Amino acid sequence: MKLYLDPGHGGSDPGAQGNGLREKDIVLDIALRIRSILVNHYENVEVRMSRTSDISKSLAERTNEANTWNADYFLSIHANAFNGTARGYEDYIHSSLSDSSTTAQYRDHMHAEITKVNQLPNRGKKKANFHVLRETTMPALLTENGFIDNPEDAALMKDSTWRQQVAQGHVNGLANAFNLQRKPNDSVTYKVIAGSFTSRENAEKRVAYLNSRNIESFISTTTVSGETRYRVQAGAFSSRENAEKRLQEVKNAGIEDAFILSDNNSTQDDQGQVQSGYSIVGQTFQSPEQMDQYVKEINPNAIKLGYYYLTFGDYYGIRGDVAFAQAIHETNFFRFTGVVQPSQNNFAGIGATDSDNPGASFATPRDGVLAHIQHLFAYASTEPLPDKYPLVDPRFNLVNRGSATTWTALNGKWAVPGDNYGQLILEIYDRMIQSTIAKLENIREELEES
C-alpha cells in the first residue's frame, strides 16, 4: 500500500492557532508518528509525506505529487478552529462521493478507529469540496483532530501521549481498510519505572537510593501534558514475567509507586503501542479513587464505578483496573457515544452489535460491572463461577471457556474484527497508571519542598 501522508499547512502558513499552539506543528507531529508506526511495524507499506519539516507547500504541489506517485491513499491531517467553544473530531471525503463508494468505505474504517482512541466528541462523517479531496486521483480523506482554539481540545493536543494515540488510531484505521499485516517478531519491551519527577535533582536522589540497594537504574526524560518529567528506569525486559520480578524487587526496596511501562522497541521512547499479552487474571493495583479520578479528568460527568471494579475484580481474581480501562474504551470515557445507552448500565458492550441490537441491559451500575467481570472470568478461566454473587452475565454460557487468558487474546472475540482491541485497552491502562504516578510524584515533591 502506498500512502501519501499530508500534514496540513506549514512554513509561512501556520494554519489554525490558539492556546499557544499552531496547527502546522501539531499535525506534523501526528503525521510523523503515523509514518513511524507504519514503516516500523507493518509489511508492504510505503509512505511519502508532503512535508517532514516546517516548509511551505502549495495544495497543488501536494496533490500533484500524490497523483504522479500513483498513491493508493491520500491522508491529510488537520486541526480545527471556530470560536473557542466548539470541540471534537470530524473527517471529510469529497462532496461528490456516495456513502457506498470505496472512499467512503475506507473512511468508515478510519473514523471508527480514530474516534475509539482520541478522547474527543464525535462530530461525525462529513463531505466537502476541499482541493486535496477534489484533485486527487485516489481515495482521499481529511481528518480534523480537535479544535485548537478550545481549551479542552488544546490541552489534549499539548500531550505527546495523546498525539501518539491519535496517530495510532489513524494507523489502526489504515490497517483495517487495507488489510495491512504486522511485521513478524514485532517485539515488546517492558520497562520498570521506579519514579517520575518534575525535578531532575529528585530523580537523581532516587537513582542513588536504588544503586545503594544494588538495583541499577538511570534517568530518561519524557513529556507528559507538555511538562518534562524525569523517569527513573530500573530495567527493561522482553519478558513481562521478568519485568514483574524486578518490579517486586524495587517495591521491596520501599518504592511503592513503581510500575511497568509496555513499550514497542521500534517506536519512540515511552510512546510505543502496547502489545502486551498481560493476563486478565491477576491483582488490581489502582484504587477506586484513582480509577474514578482518571476518567473524570476526561469526562467530569462520568459515573463513579471504581469501587465495583475493585470489589468484583478482587473476588473473581480479575484485574479490575484493566477491566475499568476496557469499560473506558467501550463507552468512550462513559460518554456512551456508540450504540449502547447509559440507561443500559452495560459498560462492556456485552451483546451489542449495531443500532438494531444495542446489547444487554442491567438494573443497576453495580450489576453492569458484575456482569462485565463475570464475562471476563468466562474468557480467562475454565473454573466454575464462584457463587457469592448471582450470575448476571446473560452471555456467560455462550463463551468458549478459557479461550482468552490475556487481554490481547480478546482480539477478534470480544470485538470483531478487533485486531488491536486488547492493545487499545492496555494503552488506556498504561495512561491511567502514568497519570496516577505523576500525581503521586507531584504530591511527594510538594511535601519535600514544604
Side-chain angles (χ1 to χ4, degrees), residues 80-100:
N80 228 326
F82 183 56
N83 61 2
T85 61
R87 289 197 66 202
Y89 169 84
E90 60 195 25
D91 47 41
Y92 291 85
I93 61 175
H94 192 254
S95 52
S96 66
L97 297 171
S98 72
D99 292 339
S100 61

Side-chain angles (χ1 to χ4, degrees), residues 44-60:
N44 302 317
V45 178
E46 294 181 67
V47 180
R48 180 171 293 186
M49 295 181 63
S50 60
R51 63 185 183 94
T52 57
S53 60
D54 187 19
I55 63 169
S56 298
K57 198 162 195 175
S58 71
L59 295 176

Side-chain angles (χ1 to χ4, degrees), residues 256-317:
E256 288 298 327
D257 56 3
F259 65 102
I260 293 174
L261 182 69
S262 305
D263 182 30
N264 194 295
N265 285 337
S266 300
T267 59
Q268 297 184 35
D269 187 35
D270 293 335
Q271 296 171 349
Q273 180 190 15
V274 178
Q275 299 293 328
S276 170
Y278 201 29
S279 172
I280 291 173
V281 171
Q283 182 180 354
T284 300
F285 293 103
Q286 292 275 280
S287 71
E289 294 77 17
Q290 288 166 340
M291 288 186 261
D292 291 332
Q293 184 178 22
Y294 174 71
V295 78
K296 281 184 175 293
E297 291 173 0
I298 307 300
N299 176 17
N301 299 316
I303 185 173
K304 290 186 176 182
L305 297 173
Y307 173 77
Y308 296 132
Y309 276 98
L310 174 66
T311 301
F312 296 134
D314 281 354
Y315 177 71
Y316 289 103

Side-chain angles (χ1 to χ4, degrees), residues 39-249:
V39 171
N40 288 323
H41 305 304
Y42 287 88
E43 296 183 317
N44 302 317
V45 178
E46 294 181 67
V47 180
R48 180 171 293 186
M49 295 181 63
S50 60
R51 63 185 183 94
T52 57
S53 60
D54 187 19
I55 63 169
S56 298
K57 198 162 195 175
S58 71
L59 295 176
E61 287 178 305
R62 300 173 196 235
T63 53
N64 288 344
E65 278 186 0
N67 293 339
T68 301
W69 188 47
N70 292 317
D72 297 309
Y73 198 54
F74 187 104
L75 177 59
S76 191
I77 311 298
H78 285 259
N80 228 326
F82 183 56
N83 61 2
T85 61
R87 289 197 66 202
Y89 169 84
E90 60 195 25
D91 47 41
Y92 291 85
I93 61 175
H94 192 254
S95 52
S96 66
L97 297 171
S98 72
D99 292 339
S100 61
S101 65
T102 299
T103 300
Q105 292 174 27
Y106 287 159
R107 191 261 293 274
D108 289 344
H109 287 291
M110 299 292 293
H111 189 93
E113 294 299 328
I114 295 167
T115 55
K116 280 181 184 178
V117 301
N118 65 6
Q119 305 172 40
L120 294 169
N122 184 352
R123 296 171 60 88
K125 307 172 188 177
K126 301 184 178 183
K127 298 179 182 180
N129 188 33
F130 298 144
H131 176 97
V132 295
L133 304 178
R134 182 184 65 248
E135 300 301 326
T136 43
T137 58
M138 72 291 301
L141 177 71
L142 184 147
T143 66
E144 293 278 8
N145 297 277
F147 283 73
I148 204 166
D149 58 348
N150 178 278
E152 292 179 81
D153 285 10
L156 291 173
M157 293 179 192
K158 291 176 182 178
D159 187 344
S160 63
T161 302
W162 180 84
R163 298 194 300 273
Q164 181 73 14
Q165 187 72 5
V166 169
Q168 187 65 59
H170 283 72
V171 171
N172 293 344
L174 290 167
N176 288 346
F178 292 92
N179 194 29
L180 302 181
Q181 302 300 308
R182 295 191 69 88
K183 291 181 178 179
N185 303 318
D186 198 14
S187 60
V188 183
T189 299
Y190 302 101
K191 300 177 180 179
V192 178
I193 306 300
S196 177
F197 303 86
T198 56
S199 162
R200 187 177 187 94
E201 181 181 359
N202 289 338
E204 289 171 347
K205 289 179 181 178
R206 177 62 56 84
V207 169
Y209 172 76
L210 289 170
N211 289 343
S212 73
R213 301 295 296 267
N214 296 318
I215 299 174
E216 293 186 6
S217 60
F218 63 92
I219 297 172
S220 64
T221 59
T222 188
T223 302
V224 178
S225 300
E227 181 181 56
T228 299
R229 302 195 68 86
Y230 301 95
R231 282 182 172 154
V232 177
Q233 184 174 320
F237 305 86
S238 59
S239 161
R240 177 100 198 186
E241 181 180 359
N242 290 337
E244 290 182 342
K245 289 179 181 178
R246 173 56 59 85
L247 177 65
Q248 193 58 53
E249 292 175 8

